[in-house]
Amino acid sequence: MTTYTALPISPAALKELRHLDDAGRPPLPYTAREDGVLIDCVGSPLRCCLRAIEPGERVALVSYAPLRRWAGETGAEPGAYDETGPVFIHADKCEEARGAQGYPFARPGALRVIRRYNADGQIAGGRLFEIPDNAEAGFDRALDEAFAEPEVALVHVRALEYGCFQFEVRRP
């Protein structure tokens, strides 16, 4: 059992993103195909339900500002730390997270960045994290380390290769 909860994009944010993304653009939904047409996305992470895209699913690639969304809930003022980046979501309402065990997208050997934020939404540190064979224990240790700092309110887990937001974890 994981010590921390990996959070998907909230249902309220998803409802908004399906109409207009955080860069102000309407999404362009399409059906995921194994041949890579329109975009090679089968197997890519869905941030709405924290699982991989399967062939035949209706998806959209949208710009998402996770820190801005969190700041809107908490009143934080992240200023220049507010970032917008691409994420895949289902084009229509989905099941949300399916109660997956462990941490999502935890392929051993994959490189992640564990980025810490304080209550004001400013970066409070971070570290490179290579997912070990025991991904759950490795994530637990990395998040224990992050939340050992009392000023850390929120952690974003991002892919190293493209910097894409994977999921967030809030202070328990």
Side-chain angles (χ1 to χ4, degrees):
M1 186 169 113
T2 56
T3 303
Y4 300 92
T5 302
L7 298 173
I9 298 173
S10 75
L14 287 167
K15 186 175 181 181
E16 293 173 4
L17 291 168
R18 288 180 178 123
H19 293 287
L20 202 63
D21 72 12
D22 287 342
R25 291 184 294 265
L28 301 171
Y30 63 94
T31 300
R33 296 174 22 180
E34 292 190 85
D35 60 8
V37 176
L38 180 69
I39 298 174
D40 187 13
C41 68
V42 171
S44 294
L46 286 159
R47 281 35 163 249
C48 49
C49 54
L50 299 181
R51 65 169 180 79
I53 296 172
E54 298 171 4
E57 291 189 288
R58 294 281 299 156
V59 297
L61 183 61
V62 299
S63 289
Y64 177 58
L67 193 60
R68 183 185 315 162
R69 295 288 181 157
W70 173 80
E73 293 174 22
T74 64
E77 296 287 340
Y81 294 104
D82 179 23
E83 296 178 84
T84 303
V87 296
F88 287 105
I89 62 171
H90 276 114
D92 302 303
K93 188 175 180 185
C94 65
E95 303 170 17
E96 299 177 24
R98 291 183 177 172
Q101 299 298 313
Y103 296 99
F105 324 124
R107 181 179 42 85
L111 298 175
R112 299 290 183 254
V113 173
I114 307 291
R115 190 178 298 164
R116 307 166 187 176
Y117 295 91
N118 65 22
D120 294 326
Q122 299 167 342
I123 292 177
R127 77 188 278 289
L128 177 64
F129 174 66
E130 182 175 350
I131 300 175
D133 287 337
N134 185 341
E136 188 171 308
F139 267 112
D140 282 346
R141 281 191 301 275
L143 293 166
D144 282 344
E145 176 187 292
F147 288 116
E149 300 296 326
E151 73 274 9
V152 174
L154 174 74
V155 169
H156 284 176
V157 176
R158 294 177 174 267
L160 180 66
E161 298 89 351
Y162 301 105
C164 295
F165 171 84
Q166 301 287 296
F167 59 89
E168 77 178 33
V169 178
R170 297 181 182 190
R171 180 174 283 284

